[in-house]
């Protein structure tokens, strides 16, 4: 008789734990749908129809570059590249830690590049192209805290690397 009581008590305890810890879609969906963490990685092009994947996420809306290279800006950008970027990015199309830089100005608009290098975290969280690069590289680019002028100089160096004269 004691074995029977012990068996039913154990069975009841297991059933209680399973029911208590089970995944109820009603409560879990309602509890997480309003939290920012639940929407942080969402595809913003569907959630935000005003999102422009050519521009990216950031304060820059229409970065204009000239037909000719600004050599002084490119030289400043090269120094920034050597200091902050070269440990992860090669100037070729070969991936190091991050993607290679060759052809970057042909793959992305100047506005997108400026938003990415100055607003890295939001771009990696929201932009589909940045997320695709993250899937390949498997390492988030750290925010380098570039000023707007430094970012523009780096963009000019990228243009030089891509053959703009």
């Amino acid at each position: 008789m004691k074995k029977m009581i012990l068996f039913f008590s154990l069975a009841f305890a297991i059933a209680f734990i399973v029911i208590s810890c089970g995944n109820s879609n009603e409560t879990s969906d309602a509890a997480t749908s309003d939290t920012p963490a639940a929407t942080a990685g969402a595809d913003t092009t569907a959630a935000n129809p005003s999102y422009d994947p050519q521009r990216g996420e950031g304060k820059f809306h229409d970065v204009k570059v000239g037909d000719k290279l600004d050599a002084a800006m490119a030289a400043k950008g090269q120094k920034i590249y050597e200091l902050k970027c070269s440990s992860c990015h090669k100037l070729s199309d070969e991936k190091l830690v991050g993607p290679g830089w060759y052809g970057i100005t042909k793959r992305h608009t100047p506005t997108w590049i400026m938003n990415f290098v100055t607003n890295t975290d939001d771009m990696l969280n929201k932009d589909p192209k940045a997320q695709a690069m993250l899937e390949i590289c498997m390492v988030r680019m750290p925010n380098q805290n570039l000023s707007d002028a430094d970012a523009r100089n780096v963009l000019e160096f990228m243009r030089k690397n891509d053959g703009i004269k």
Side-chain angles (χ1 to χ4, degrees), residues 29-49:
D29 288 346
T32 60
S33 64
D34 294 332
T35 60
T39 59
D43 180 10
T44 57
T45 55
N48 182 3

Side-chain angles (χ1 to χ4, degrees), residues 66-108:
D67 292 335
K68 293 188 177 187
L69 185 74
D70 184 322
M73 286 176 72
K76 290 177 186 175
Q78 182 172 0
K79 289 180 182 176
I80 296 166
Y81 165 81
E82 291 167 355
L83 179 67
K84 294 189 172 195
C85 311
S86 64
S87 60
C88 295
H89 299 281
K90 290 188 175 187
L91 295 177
S92 67
D93 60 358
E94 183 182 356
K95 175 185 166 269
L96 187 56
V97 174
W101 277 14
Y102 184 75
I104 193 167
T105 61
K106 293 170 178 64
R107 292 188 304 271
H108 304 289

Side-chain angles (χ1 to χ4, degrees), residues 113-134:
I113 293 169
M114 290 286 291
N115 281 324
F116 186 79
V117 299
T118 59
N119 194 29
T120 307
D121 294 325
D122 282 344
M123 288 286 285
L124 288 172
N125 289 338
K126 298 177 182 179
D127 186 80
K129 291 188 283 186
Q131 290 171 347
M133 286 189 291
L134 181 58

Side-chain angles (χ1 to χ4, degrees), residues 37-59:
T39 59
D43 180 10
T44 57
T45 55
N48 182 3
S50 66
Y51 181 79
D52 181 1
Q54 296 301 311
R55 183 183 79 77
E57 182 72 24
K59 63 183 169 183

